Amino acid sequence: SQQGEEDPQALSIQEGENATMNCSYKTSINNLQWYRQNSGRGLVHLILIRSNEREKHSGRLRVTLDTSKKSSSLLITASRAADTASYFCASYYTGRRALTFGSGTRLQVQP
Amino acid sequence: GAVVSQHPSWVICKSGTSVKIECRSLDFQATTMFWYRQFPKQSLMLMATSNEGSKATYEQGVEKDKFLINHASLTLSTLTVTSAHPEDSSFYICSARRRGLAGNEQFFGPGTRLTVL
């Protein structure tokens, strides 16, 4: 089963604009991770944020985590055409050894 | 970094045949490997957890007799899709959890695209 939902399901923006994707999860977590997947390809790990962190940056990526609302957001600033991909949040349920993925956001960045 | 490979990267087969997909951890030992399935434009869904030297644990709704998993060594897990049918066409992704690593960290393979005609 999926851990939660992501929105929007699809997002189309122009190059240079910022892209924000949201993830909601259902249970308590130790950390939350974001992955990128280019069409038909494997996963690329982007960033991990721990439950005691509220915000984390990595290059053009900014991730926030609100454990009271059980939600996280991924912001990509100054987007590029190469950012076109699907983005998934993922975390571990309590007692689960495998990552459970959100439903994903398909991002299209128009050049 | 930790590298996980999958072979083959893609396979096309006729309905009714069996297909084996290999997942290898190249530079670390993995006591646990996971198999996911991803249909087009959907998310990854966990199929089963593979434990070295013991039986795999399957998620609800996944037929263990259809999706045979073998984890014979600390670096290799195989998924065999038996009597494949067109509805089994999907992207299969494995991941491996590194032995001895505290906390939870999974490393993903590049995936195998299965097309059943």
Side-chain angles (χ1 to χ4, degrees):
Chain A
S1 61
Q2 288 175 308
Q3 169 67 308
E5 297 299 316
E6 290 182 54
D7 75 273
Q9 288 187 337
L11 178 62
S12 181
I13 59 174
Q14 296 294 123
E15 212 166 23
E17 294 180 338
N18 295 342
T20 300
M21 289 157 267
N22 303 295
C23 165
S24 62
Y25 57 91
K26 298 176 182 176
T27 65
S28 297
I29 58 172
N30 291 326
N31 62 61
L32 187 138
Q33 304 177 43
W34 285 90
Y35 288 83
R36 184 183 75 203
Q37 185 183 36
N38 286 32
S39 181
R41 307 293 293 275
L43 295 172
V44 175
H45 184 264
L46 295 177
I47 196 167
L48 180 153
I49 185 167
R50 302 188 189 284
S51 60
N52 60 354
E53 297 176 309
R54 291 295 167 261
E55 187 171 310
K56 197 164 183 178
H57 297 254
S58 177
R60 294 184 295 113
L61 306 180
R62 188 185 78 159
V63 170
T64 62
L65 180 65
D66 187 335
T67 53
S68 67
K69 295 181 180 179
K70 292 188 169 56
S71 67
S72 175
S73 68
L74 171 67
L75 168 67
I76 303 174
T77 60
S79 63
R80 306 167 182 168
D83 295 328
T84 294
S86 290
Y87 292 81
F88 298 94
C89 64
S91 60
Y92 293 97
Y93 279 117
T94 300
R96 298 272 286 181
R97 291 182 294 164
L99 277 171
T100 302
F101 286 82
S103 52
T105 294
R106 294 191 304 279
L107 174 66
Q108 176 78 40
V109 182
Q110 307 286 351
Chain B
V3 179
V4 176
S5 70
Q6 281 184 241
H7 177 80
S9 56
W10 60 269
V11 57
I12 301 173
C13 70
K14 292 182 179 180
S15 187
T17 61
S18 293
V19 174
K20 180 185 284 189
I21 302 170
E22 292 185 348
C23 176
R24 292 181 186 274
S25 55
L26 298 185
D27 51 1
F28 66 99
Q29 292 182 325
T31 51
T32 305
M33 290 185 171
F34 307 97
W35 288 96
Y36 293 82
R37 179 169 55 184
Q38 184 182 32
F39 292 109
K41 296 186 178 181
Q42 294 189 24
S43 186
L44 283 77
M45 300 298 289
L46 181 68
M47 299 175 65
T49 300
S50 169
N51 303 295
E52 187 263 336
S54 64
K55 291 183 179 180
T57 304
Y58 291 81
E59 294 299 298
Q60 192 172 8
V62 178
E63 299 175 59
K64 62 180 181 180
D65 294 330
K66 182 169 183 62
F67 299 98
L68 301 179
I69 291 172
N70 184 281
H71 193 157
S73 76
L74 286 171
T75 59
L76 173 64
S77 176
T78 60
L79 168 67
T80 302
V81 184
T82 62
S83 186
H85 291 282
E87 57 266 29
D88 299 323
S89 297
S90 188
F91 194 53
Y92 291 87
I93 302 175
C94 74
S95 71
R97 182 172 172 174
R98 190 155 55 181
R99 177 189 176 99
L101 187 68
N104 301 318
E105 190 169 12
Q106 288 179 224
F107 301 93
F108 287 85
T112 296
R113 182 160 304 283
L114 170 64
T115 302
V116 185
L117 302 176

